[in-house]
Every structure is written in C-alpha cells, then in structure tokens.
Amino acid sequence: MFDINTLRIVATLAAFAAFIGIIAWAFHKPHAKRFEEAARLPFEQD
C-alpha cells in the first residue's frame, strides 16, 4: 500500500507537470502573440 511519502512524491510530480504545462501553454506561438498584444494595451492611445 502507499505510504504518505509516496503520496507526497506523486503530488509533487503532478504539480510540477501542471506547472510545465502552463508554461508551455503560455509560450505556445498563438498564445504568445495574443499575450504580446495584451501587454501593449496600456500604451495605446484611445
């Protein structure tokens, strides 16, 4: 059966995989272009 340390390892690996997934999603080419446009919004004139 699983002990608490095994559960902690699995939770840590799952959180790390989710973090890498979010980073990959954010830097994916179509998303990066949209984020770049959103970053310029405060500097645009009305």
Side-chain angles (χ1 to χ4, degrees):
M1 191 124 203
F2 295 111
D3 62 343
I4 191 69
N5 288 328
T6 304
L7 183 60
R8 288 177 181 162
I9 291 169
V10 170
T12 300
L13 291 176
F16 183 68
F19 176 74
I20 295 299
I22 291 170
I23 296 297
W25 173 80
F27 285 103
H28 190 255
K29 199 72 160 166
H31 297 291
K33 181 181 177 187
R34 191 173 72 200
F35 293 149
E36 183 65 32
E37 291 172 0
R40 286 192 301 266
L41 281 175
F43 303 109
E44 292 181 1
Q45 297 292 327
D46 289 332

